[in-house]
Amino acid sequence: MTSAAVPSDRGERTLRELSDLITPMAIRVAVTLRIPQRISATAATAAELAADTNSDTDVLERVLAHLAGAGVLTRDENGRFGLTSLGTQLLIDDGRPEFLDLTTVVGRAELSFVHLLDVVRSGDVVAYAARYGTSFWADLGEEPSSAVQFDQVMADGMKKRVDEIAVAYDWAALGRVVDVGGGNGTLLVGLLRAHPTLRGTLLDRDAGPATRALDEAGLSDRATALSGSFLEPLPPGAGGYVLSRVQSDWSDADVRIILGHCADAAGAHGRVLVIDEFTADEGADTDTETDLRMLMYYGGKERTLEQARELAASVGLTPRSIRRAADWTIMELGASGPARR
């Protein structure tokens, strides 16, 4: 066995693990081909797995052999592959397979990281567009199944928090809210259920999923969904305009546009509610993986509360209250004077 397979120095091995692209891509290929599911109950040979997945036997065997050497798979004396305890983690339904499956919207976006050097050098290259020749959002518009996948990923995160968001703020006092970029309606449905007098409108690129969700929840008499873009003027006159996990997906310039449209629609008496997982201050720990994903997928960033306040102030909005909801924050904004857009 060579030193490349078993490095003599633990520090060297750790550095290789941190910088290696081979194992992460091999894992992604295995997940995309559903290899973990295929061998979870019964071990199988590369030939059997290749036949099941319409793959080349020799190449697949070499990939699986590498994963066996990496401790993800087992391989017996008959060449049959199974899962190690580490490999069984690929079966856990907690969202990780979404990032590893190259056919999903998130798995596809992960490949944009090959352009990280271009982004670092330029500061303004959006990696997804550099790889695919179009923006992440334009891609969603062209592929309905990808849009459904993306909305579900966002909804899964919201489901863990919607009940606490619903009780952390007096939503009913707003009368009517517009959920700006509300996806498939998970948040709006939760707010309406918790506040029987509240009415709502949801605006997103495709109103279909939210319309179905409102109908299924029996809430279509109190809310409606509209197809549109928050980069354009919004329906005016609601008591509140909600931006939930929206601002981190966009550049500073685009966030100013989005907040500006919310401010214009809310007017002097309405409120803009920004719900996000803000970093408390510049020195606090932040989710660096998510921050880099925001950068590479969309040209966005995970912002501190102070950075969010500065963007709001640039369009004439000032914080009225800050509330915690689960591990997220609700920042209530109101008009502070003439906008500086």
Side-chain angles (χ1 to χ4, degrees):
M1 191 171 291
T2 67
S3 60
V6 183
S8 59
D9 180 79
R10 180 62 194 171
E12 178 188 350
R13 182 183 177 191
T14 300
L15 180 60
R16 178 176 294 139
E17 289 170 348
L18 288 172
S19 59
D20 175 27
L21 291 180
I22 300 170
T23 304
M25 286 307 301
I27 289 173
R28 281 168 165 77
V29 168
V31 168
T32 304
L33 295 175
R34 300 294 185 268
I35 298 296
Q37 288 77 9
R38 295 174 192 275
I39 61 177
S40 61
T42 304
T45 66
E48 292 167 336
L49 293 168
D52 287 344
T53 60
N54 194 29
S55 303
D56 181 89
T57 299
D58 176 65
V59 175
L60 181 60
E61 182 161 20
R62 292 158 68 182
V63 170
L64 299 182
H66 175 75
L67 292 178
V72 178
L73 303 181
T74 62
R75 187 181 193 182
D76 65 21
E77 63 277 8
N78 297 315
R80 302 179 72 82
F81 291 94
L83 294 175
T84 64
S85 58
L86 177 64
T88 59
Q89 294 182 35
L90 299 174
L91 300 171
I92 299 174
D93 186 18
D94 67 350
R96 274 175 291 180
E98 287 292 333
F99 286 83
L100 299 177
D101 185 338
L102 298 173
T103 65
T104 65
V105 61
V106 180
R108 173 178 161 88
E110 287 284 280
L111 297 182
S112 64
F113 271 91
V114 299
H115 292 281
L116 181 57
L117 179 60
D118 299 329
V119 176
V120 170
R121 282 179 166 165
S122 72
D124 60 6
V125 167
V126 178
Y128 190 97
R131 178 165 182 80
Y132 296 112
T134 188
S135 73
F136 180 92
W137 306 112
D139 247 4
L140 287 190
E142 293 294 324
E143 183 48 65
S145 64
S146 294
V148 170
Q149 288 177 8
F150 180 78
D151 284 344
Q152 190 57 55
V153 170
M154 296 298 100
D156 289 344
M158 178 57 70
K159 286 175 184 176
K160 302 173 184 177
R161 303 167 176 90
V162 64
D163 290 343
E164 294 200 39
I165 291 171
V167 300
Y169 183 84
D170 187 6
W171 298 99
L174 299 173
R176 182 167 69 90
V177 297
V178 177
D179 190 355
V180 181
N184 64 11
T186 300
L187 174 59
L188 184 58
V189 167
L191 296 181
L192 295 171
R193 282 176 168 163
H195 301 277
T197 63
L198 182 66
R199 305 182 72 84
T201 300
L202 183 146
L203 182 138
D204 212 314
R205 59 189 180 276
D206 178 8
T211 297
R212 290 189 290 274
L214 292 168
D215 288 343
E216 291 169 3
L219 296 168
S220 55
D221 60 329
R222 292 166 50 203
T224 187
L226 304 174
S227 295
S229 169
F230 44 50
L231 297 174
E232 302 293 335
L234 300 171
Y241 291 80
V242 183
L243 292 168
S244 175
R245 285 298 290 173
V246 168
Q247 61 92 32
S248 55
D249 295 349
W250 298 85
S251 67
D252 286 355
D254 285 332
V255 171
R256 289 190 187 94
I257 292 171
I258 296 165
L259 284 171
H261 288 318
C262 289
D264 290 340
H269 304 293
R271 293 291 182 261
V272 179
L273 291 306
V274 180
I275 305 173
D276 221 311
E277 192 175 10
F278 295 110
T279 300
D281 56 61
E282 294 291 352
D285 291 337
T286 187
D287 182 347
T288 55
E289 287 190 5
T290 299
D291 182 49
L292 287 177
R293 285 191 172 101
M294 299 302 99
L295 171 68
M296 302 298 282
Y297 296 5
Y298 324 115
K301 68 186 298 184
E302 294 290 281
R303 295 181 174 85
T304 65
L305 272 170
E306 183 55 34
Q307 288 170 334
R309 288 191 189 101
E310 291 173 357
L311 287 172
S314 73
V315 298
L317 292 170
T318 190
R320 303 296 186 185
S321 69
I322 303 290
R323 302 167 190 265
R324 292 293 292 172
D327 52 345
W328 287 4
T329 298
I330 303 173
M331 181 167 61
E332 178 193 33
L333 303 166
S336 58
R340 298 187 296 276
R341 294 196 290 283

